[in-house]
Every structure is written in structure tokens, then in C-alpha cells.
Amino acid sequence: MNAFFSTIVPTIATAPPPAPRELTGGFWLPQASSVNAENIDATFYFITYLGYFFFALIVALMVIFVVKYRQRGREIHAEGPTHHTALEVTWTIIPLLLSILLFYFGFKGFLSASTPPLNSYQIDVTAQQWSWSFKYPNGVVSDDLIVPADKPVKLVMRSEDVLHSLFVPDFRVKKDVVPGRYTTLWFNAPEPTGMDARKAHHLFCTEYCGKDHSNMNRKVYVLNQAEFDEWAEYQRTADQRSPVDERYFRVAPKLYKRCISCHTLDGTPSTGPSWGAHDGLPAIWERTEKGLTKFGDGTTLKDYIGPGKEYETPEAYISDSILNPGKHLVAPFGNAMPTFKGQISDVGIQALIDFMKRLDEFDAKGNYLKPIPPLPQQTADPKKTANAAK
Amino acid sequence: MTTLDASRPTHLNIEASSDNYLTHTRGLLSWAFTLDHKRIGVMYMFAILGSFFVGGVFALLVRTKLLFPDAVNWMTAEQYNQAFTLHGAVMVFLVIVPSIPAALGNFILPIMLGAKDVAFPRLNLASFWLWIFGAIFVVISLLAGSFDTGWTFYTPYSTRTTLGGVVWVITGVFILGFSSIFTGMNFIVTIHKLRPPGMTWFRMPLFLWALYSTALIQVLATPVLAITLALVAIERVFHIGVFDPAMGGDPVLFQHFFWFYSHPAVYIMILPGMGIISEIIAVHSHRHIFGYRFIAFSSIAIAFFSFLVWGHHMFVSGQSGLMGAVFSLITFSVAIPSAIKVFNWLATLYKGSISLNTPMLYGLAFLFLFTIGGLTGLHLGTLNTDIHLHDTYFVVAHFHYVMMGSALIAMVGGLHHWWPKMFGRMYSEALGKLGCVLVFVGFNVTFFTQFMLGSHGMPRRYYLYQPEFQIYHVISTCGSYIMALGFIITGICLLKSLFSGKPAPANPWGGRSLEWQCPSPPPHDNFPTTPRVGDCYDFSIVRWDDSAGGYVVDRSLDPELNPNAPKRAGAHH
Ligand SMILES: [Cu+2]
Ligand SMILES: [Cu+2]
């Protein structure tokens, strides 16, 4: 089982997007994959059929009247009634009653959708421009949302920067993620999807958050309880288990996906400084080591690195840039980088630094150019691997 | 030949060359500094139509990018974000909010009242020039680095985005707000003070009721927007935290402030449109509007409720569930007056003499589209379904059905309705109808598909999307091209009429209210003396007159205007 995840998880993290999913569900709504979806769909269809009825009524009357009472020639026959109080009161009362009914349905559904059961499994969500991170009770952090099947799951969400909104259409759940507040959302997905990207549910950011808003989407995988526990346990030790000198290609590329929207590897300009060589500067590690990086306030990195200065080593500067961005602003960039404090472990930061030192072993998207060997202590299970790769 | 008004000479025989507001004085300055509401209305109209063209180009750019789910080189994500932001900002602040009141309202309102002008002509001119300054600031913002905040300016993104145009455009919208407030104030006072003898409140044409309710909202709600945007600018420039939590502010507070204006603003857009539709349907059915009082009261009811429902934009924003429930409940109360209006318009068709002229086609298109827009609003006002649909294309489709399919279609319908009055020329009915049909078909192809996109989960403001959504996007984009073609034909049709259109009679459609009783185009003073009015929806005294080449309102038959008028069956009060 461990072998299954050891091969599949890095694949999800770095592989190109899988073949497109077909549209699921019916004419109006996608597949309903959470317990609450049914209830929302029932309300949706009730309103929709009500809509069909009134639309047909109104358009039919309109067409009949227009045909029947066409003006012939230039004669004017203006004899229809000017008002009819009973009729008008009727078409005031009927919409009134219907609206109260709709309100009631909506309110009932809303109550259950916004009250997570007490025994919910809690996952902490952090949104930032432009990535999600999901943190599980055992400390594991993932980019895709992995949840146990048939169990209420509660997401407690916060944002590092601007507004975001977490939306899983198949679950019919959505909630804004607001900086400076915690918001929550819950669902219960009964059907496992396994680690199959084509069965997995879409997760979108639906509150406009800037350049890569439309890239801020991930997948939701639903695993049955046993698989989920195994996954969580495997992930908890995964980083530590990989040998220190292999973490730069096992751990770092996954983490780099949260930097890619602002830091390119090939020198192209973006929201943050490229890690590749650009504008006469060498690539990130070399320019940091040599202290060449220039800051917005006119100082240079040289002024800060060395014994007795702010940073003892170049590594300390990089690590601080990730945990406390904005302390020294690289020219000409603004204070746009979110902090990754509490989200990337020391192991992760060390892996990223090693990754920066050996950028030539990766392609422009941060994929390791050589095949990744299986973890030494693991024996691959070919059946599961084949399954997952399908 | 019948006299129009016993107390003064008829204007029917006036030659096109004689005095009218277009030829009253000449020269550019005589327009730029005119105090004539008609000229101000016409200038507003061309300025707004120009902005509509610009906003439309941005829309087509957005739609064209969305033909493909993945990145295409000719437009980057940043450019896309600016394009949809500009589309929204231009269409809302420069086009739809001012369109009907400032352009058509300015032209028609005083004439409908038989007045010479609005109550404060200088304020009116100031409003127009403020609009121009506001528009200039929007242009400057483009040169200063543009902006990508969405037309909603949600914080803290709007206080953090690095693009340089944000403060400029905020200043522009601030100024445009005052332009809108000035128009509103002017209309309120004009309607209170300048109604002609015989026109009690419940004798006003319904377009005036609609403009009056709109003006109330403009005056009461717009200052909130102005202050809110000023706060955003202060936060950006001086880093005083109001909305940005990093500076101790609250981003949800911004949403409350913003929607406190912007929900009522939806009614600033749609109410005058409903007013136009009441006129178009009554005039082209040549029959008394059905249920006058219900329609008039529903305008006021909508204006009132519109202030109490802003929270329905925020069901998933993290506001408390109780607030969500209260806002949902009140939101449904807006559905009722809207439903009343639709049924009353339908009943007005019953037993009318319906002529399917171009304006009437727009009127019927409005009924069709507004019904869809209104009914899909129910999905969004209902709490649990809104969770799923919020911020998806379902919302995009819904508000386009209401703001474009209804408000803008009403505006274009009104333009066709009053065009002969404004310029004294008839346009080609065939071209006008062709344009209308293409716009109608294109509109539905574009936006109906977006309902499906949204209900299947496609979020709005996406540059890239899942490949399974592509088919809908392609259909939608094709629709937008059909619509663009329709608008081009409409534009050609109207412009052509200015050069080669037949001269328009005073009353080409068989209208009854005062604007159809002065020549087309109206003289500088509209009416030599303030005319008395009767029931402005009593069409029994309107009839065709060959010598006038159009309909005439035979005022001598109205018992209120002429004590000796013969008694008629079917005269109403
Ligand atoms: Cu986003
Ligand atoms: Cu609203």
C-alpha cells in the first residue's frame, strides 16, 4: 500500500494535467457527490420547474395576445379594461406565497449546510495567491484535498493575502476565504474516488484574486477510511523517510508548485523575481551566494550576509525570505509574497534551497529531468501503480 | 383637420427648416454650453453610445479569449483581467447607470411634463460635464497602468494590486457618482414642481414614476459608493487601514458598503427601463396601461426594498447565517413588485391594437428576457441554491439578462421609440427589426448557455477553464458575435435615418402623452404655453390623420380639456 502512494503522490504533484473529465450529471447540475447536494438539487429543480411554468405562461400569453390583437390598418380600438383589482391582488398574492415557500426551502437547506456535525474531521485550509494548502490533524500538508469517504469533513479556512473562495461543484459547497478571519465549510462525500484524477472532483477558487485566479484550482480525492488513514500516515513520514540528499527532487518540486505562479525558473519576469538568470544577474543561488541581489532601498545583499551581519549564511537569507517575505524587498518588486510560515517545514525549506542550488537538473516547470527512483526501503507494488497511472 | 390644442396654434405644419432645438442656435459652443435639456440629453446619448461601443469591444475580447480553454498568446492573463474589469466598469458606470435617466430621461421628462426645461438647467449641464470628466479619468487610468480589480473593487485586492490605474478610476467613478446625483436631484425637483395643470401624481406617465423612483435611489445611495471608493483610495495612498486586514481593516465591511450602493444601483439601471417598457407597451398597443396604480406603486416599492437587500450578494462571504436568512427573505419581497409589473404589461396587451413596430419588438423582447432574468433570480435569492451558484457563470448570465437583456434592451427600445421625436426622422423599419431580432437571438445564444456553464460549476472571471466547458464557451462566443452584428446593423439603421430618413410626424406611433403632441423635433421651448393634460393613457382620442402623416391626439374630444366634448363610451378615469 505504501508503495502505491509513494509513486502516485509525486505523480499527481508534478505530472501534466490528466485527460479532461467529461461533464457529469444532468442538463443543469453536475453529479451530486455529497450528502447535502441532494437537498440543494431538490430546491434547484423545484425553482427551475416553477420557472418553466411561469415562463411558458407569460410567453404563451404574450404570443396569443400579440397575434390575436394585432392592429389592422391604422384603426385604434382601445377598449380593454384599465384595471381589475381582484386579478391584480391575485397576482400579487401568488408570488408572495411562492416566495415564502422558496425562502423556507432555502433556509432549511442553508441551516444544515452551514452547521457542521460535531464529529467532523477537521482540515485546516490556507489560501494564498495562488495556491491552496490543506493541513491534516497529523501535520501533513497537501496541495490537493484528500478526504475520507462517508464522514463529515469540516474545512477551517483562512487566507494569507486577499479574498479567495473555495468551491467544489460536485459537493455544492462554497465559502469565501477571508484574510483576518476564519470561515468554515463542511461536507460529507459518501462515494470514494480513489486516487484517480479523472474521477476526482474539481476544486475551484471562485473569488477573483488576481493574475492566476483561474489557476487556483485543485482536485478533491475521496478515499475510503482505511486508504485515507494509510495515506495520511504515509505522508506524515514521507519527507523524513526520503534520504536527505534526495529531498531536492522528491520534496522540493511539490513545494515549488506553490511558488511557480510568481517565480519562474527560466528568467521570464513574473510577479516575483525569477529564480533563473535574468537582467544580467545569475540564477538565484549564485546571486545569493555572491550577494549580488539588489533591494528596493538601494542596498545590496552583500550588506546583510556574513559573520555578525543579519544573516550568517546565504541559506539563512533564503529561509528568511520564505518565512518573512517583505523584510527586504528585491528591486523592483513590491511586497506581494505571502508568508509560508507554518506551512513549509524545515525539511521542506532545506529541500527548496537544495533545489535552487541544482536548478539545471529540472525543466522550466520544476519537473525533475531524470526518472525518480522508488524510495530505497520500499518495494513497488506493480498492480497498484498500473492502476493509478491509468 | 383637428386642432391639437384650442388655446394655441398647431405646430403640425411647421417646416423642418423652421425653429427646432437642433437648429435653434448653431456652433459647437452652443452645444457645449447649452442649457437645453434636449441638447444635453442628445449629447449624453452619443457619449453613452460611444462608451457602449468601447465596453462592447472589451466584451468581445473577453469572449474571444474564452473560445479556448488554455492560454492563447495574443492575450495574457493580466490583459484578460483588465479586459473584463474594463468591460464591467465601463458598462456599469459609464453606460447603464446613466443611460436611460441622463440620455432619454433628460430629453423626454420635461416634454412629458409640458415644461420648458428641467428645474435646474445649469445643474443639468454640470452633470453632463461631470460625466465627461469622470470618463476622462477612466481614460487616464488606462494610460496610468490600467486596473484589474473587477468592477466591484473588492478589497483587499484593490488596495494591493500593483497596477497604477486604480486610484484614477476610483476618482473617475467618484465624479460619475456626482453626475448621477445631480441628475437625480434635478428630476426629483422637476417632477415635484413642474407638473402641468391636470397632471396629478397618479396621472403621470409611468416613465416619470420610474424616473422619480430612480432619482430617489440615485440621491440616497450614490454618496455611499463615493465615500466607500474614497476610503479605498485613502487606504491605497496613505495606508490607513479600513478594509485591508493587514492594516487592521475589515474586507467584508467593504462588501457591505459596496453593495449598499450597488444593489440599489441595479434598480437605478432597471427601473427606468421598466418605465420605458410601460410607455412602449401602452403606446404600441394603443390602449390604456393596465393597473396603473399597481405599476406606479411597485416602482416605489422596488426603490424602497432595494435598500434592504444588499446582503444577498454575501451569502457565502462569511457573514452570519442569521443575516443571510434575513436578507434572503427581504430579497424575495423585490420579486413581487417585479412580477406585478410583468403581469400588468401582459394584461395591457389584452384587447389592445398592437402594432409590431421596432420599439414594440424591443418591448416584447424585454418581457421575454426580463422574465428569464427574474425567474433565475429566484435561484440566487434562495439561500441553499445560491451557495452552489454564487460567483459562477450562472450569476453572470442572470445579471446580463437583467442588466443587458432588460435595462439595455429597454434603453435601445426607448431610443427607437423616441428617435423620430428626437431627430425628426423615421428610420427603416426593416433594418431596425433585423437589428432587434439579431440582438435578441444573439443575446440568448450568448447568455442562456452561460446558465448551464454556471450551474455545472464554471466560476466567473476565469482566464483558463476545464476543457469540458469548452463547448458552452464556443456557443456563447458565437452568440456574442451575432449580437455584435445586430448592434452594428441597429447603429447603421439609426445613423442612416439622420441623412436619408423620411421626416417624422409629430406622432408616428399613436402615442398619447404630451411628447407626442409637440412637433418632431421639438422646438426650443417644447410648448409655447404649458398645456393642460388629461388621462395620458386614454387612447380613445388618438386617431390617424392623413394630412398630418401620423396620429393626432384629438384634444377637443377629451372632456377634461374641452367641456363641450361629446360623451363617449369607454372613457376611463
Ligand atoms: Cu481566486
Ligand atoms: Cu443585489
Side-chain angles (χ1 to χ4, degrees), chain A residues 21 26 28 30 39 43 48 69 71 77 81-82 88 96 103 174 176 181 202 205-206 208 213-215, chain B residues 78 148 250 287 291 294 316 325 336 344 353-355 379 384 387-388 390-391 455-456 461-462 464 468 551:
Chain A
R21 199 177 93 153
W28 282 115
N39 171 324
T43 317
T48 306
Y69 303 112
Q71 185 183 24
H77 304 281
T82 61
E88 289 175 82
L96 181 72
F103 167 77
K174 179 182 293 127
D176 284 3
R181 292 189 182 194
H202 290 306
C205 174
T206 45
Y208 173 68
H213 169 53
S214 55
N215 270 328
Chain B
E78 285 98 331
D148 66 343
D250 180 357
R287 145 172 185 0
F294 269 73
V316 301
I336 297 155
N344 277 328
S353 297
I354 302 170
S355 60
H379 294 89
N384 63 347
I387 296 179
H388 177 61
H390 179 79
D391 266 341
S455 62
H456 276 283
R461 297 176 168 177
Y462 261 33
L464 310 171
E468 66 253 34
Y551 289 86

Side-chain angles (χ1 to χ4, degrees), chain B residues 281-299:
Chain B
I281 291 198
V283 168
H284 295 265
S285 308
H286 304 105
R287 145 172 185 0
H288 199 291
I289 190 87
F290 185 88
Y292 177 97
R293 274 174 190 256
F294 269 73
I295 298 185
F297 277 128
S298 62
S299 289

Side-chain angles (χ1 to χ4, degrees), chain A residues 106-357:
Chain A
F107 182 58
K108 234 180 69 186
F110 185 70
L111 274 188
S112 60
S114 43
T115 323
L118 287 175
N119 62 341
S120 303
Y121 180 81
Q122 179 171 334
I123 300 176
D124 293 332
V125 181
T126 306
Q128 53 191 254
Q129 286 170 319
W130 289 276
S131 65
W132 297 99
S133 87
F134 302 98
K135 191 166 181 181
Y136 302 82
N138 67 356
V140 165
V141 176
S142 69
D143 297 332
D144 287 306
L145 178 58
I146 321 281
V147 297
D150 209 10
K151 183 170 186 178
V153 173
K154 171 168 133 188
L155 305 184
V156 177
M157 309 188 288
R158 64 193 189 93
S159 162
E160 286 290 350
D161 38 46
V162 299
L163 296 171
H164 303 277
S165 186
L166 186 141
F167 176 35
V168 184
D170 293 350
F171 295 170
R172 316 280 189 272
V173 292
K174 179 182 293 127
K175 190 69 158 237
D176 284 3
V177 186
V178 184
R181 292 189 182 194
Y182 289 93
T183 52
T184 58
L185 166 164
W186 81 278
F187 54 83
N188 178 344
E191 278 300 312
T193 63
M195 274 296 185
D196 183 344
R198 280 166 313 162
K199 281 199 196 142
H201 309 287
H202 290 306
L203 181 154
F204 296 123
C205 174
T206 45
E207 186 65 69
Y208 173 68
C209 57
K211 186 186 94 194
D212 273 317
H213 169 53
S214 55
N215 270 328
M216 221 175 129
N217 49 57
R218 305 298 310 179
K219 289 268 154 67
V220 184
Y221 296 91
V222 183
L223 303 184
N224 65 40
Q225 189 71 50
E227 272 184 332
F228 179 80
D229 291 341
E230 214 164 332
W231 173 84
E233 182 53 26
Y234 178 79
Q235 290 297 314
R236 191 175 66 79
T237 51
D239 290 354
Q240 279 85 350
R241 257 182 298 106
S242 59
V244 178
D245 58 350
E246 289 185 2
R247 287 180 190 162
Y248 78 96
F249 67 80
R250 289 192 191 278
V251 178
K254 271 191 287 175
L255 295 172
Y256 172 65
K257 291 170 62 79
R258 290 158 67 182
C259 326
I260 192 167
S261 53
C262 299
H263 298 288
T264 63
L265 297 183
D266 55 5
T268 4
S270 183
T271 312
S274 174
W275 292 349
H278 62 280
D279 297 330
L281 283 172
I284 176 106
W285 180 250
E286 194 184 338
R287 66 177 185 254
T288 305
E289 212 180 11
K290 295 190 176 150
L292 299 177
T293 309
K294 291 198 176 55
F295 295 115
D297 58 8
T299 55
T300 316
L301 188 51
K302 269 203 289 287
D303 308 339
Y304 299 99
I305 298 189
K309 300 201 190 151
E310 184 171 353
Y311 302 112
E312 293 281 330
T313 59
E315 281 88 347
Y317 162 73
I318 302 255
S319 160
D320 199 41
S321 298
I322 299 172
L323 299 177
N324 300 304
K327 208 193 263 178
H328 301 288
L329 289 181
V330 177
F333 297 94
N335 189 4
M337 175 158 156
T339 174
F340 289 88
K341 202 180 276 176
Q343 299 180 51
I344 299 186
S345 63
D346 291 346
V347 169
I349 289 183
Q350 190 53 51
L352 274 170
I353 293 174
D354 292 342
F355 172 83
M356 292 175 186
K357 290 180 181 167

Side-chain angles (χ1 to χ4, degrees), chain B residues 177-261:
Chain B
F178 278 92
S179 153
S180 177
I181 293 172
F182 285 4
T183 304
M185 278 179 4
N186 224 334
F187 284 5
I188 292 177
V189 176
T190 309
I191 290 176
H192 271 277
K193 289 293 176 198
L194 298 185
R195 272 174 294 124
M199 189 184 282
T200 58
W201 280 93
F202 287 103
R203 281 280 180 81
M204 288 199 307
L206 286 165
F207 184 46
L208 297 187
W209 269 107
L211 286 178
Y212 184 76
S213 333
T214 309
L216 288 178
I217 312 180
Q218 283 175 303
V219 169
L220 293 175
T222 318
V224 179
L225 176 74
I227 297 294
T228 309
L229 293 182
L231 288 174
V232 172
I234 288 172
E235 186 169 271
R236 263 186 87 87
V237 178
F238 301 111
H239 301 286
I240 297 174
V242 184
F243 303 126
D244 186 343
M247 301 182 230
D250 180 357
V252 180
L253 182 67
F254 174 86
Q255 297 176 30
H256 281 294
F257 284 176
F258 181 81
W259 290 112
F260 187 83
Y261 164 76

Side-chain angles (χ1 to χ4, degrees), chain B residues 7 35-36 92 94 111 118 130 155 166 195 205 223 254 265 299 333 365 388 400 413 419 421 440 464 499 513 528 547:
Chain B
S7 67
L35 297 180
D36 182 352
V92 169
L94 286 172
I111 308 184
V118 290
L130 281 180
T155 55
V166 179
R195 272 174 294 124
F254 174 86
S299 289
S333 66
H388 177 61
H400 277 91
W419 186 268
K421 181 56 59 185
F440 177 76
L464 310 171
F499 302 103
S513 40
S547 66

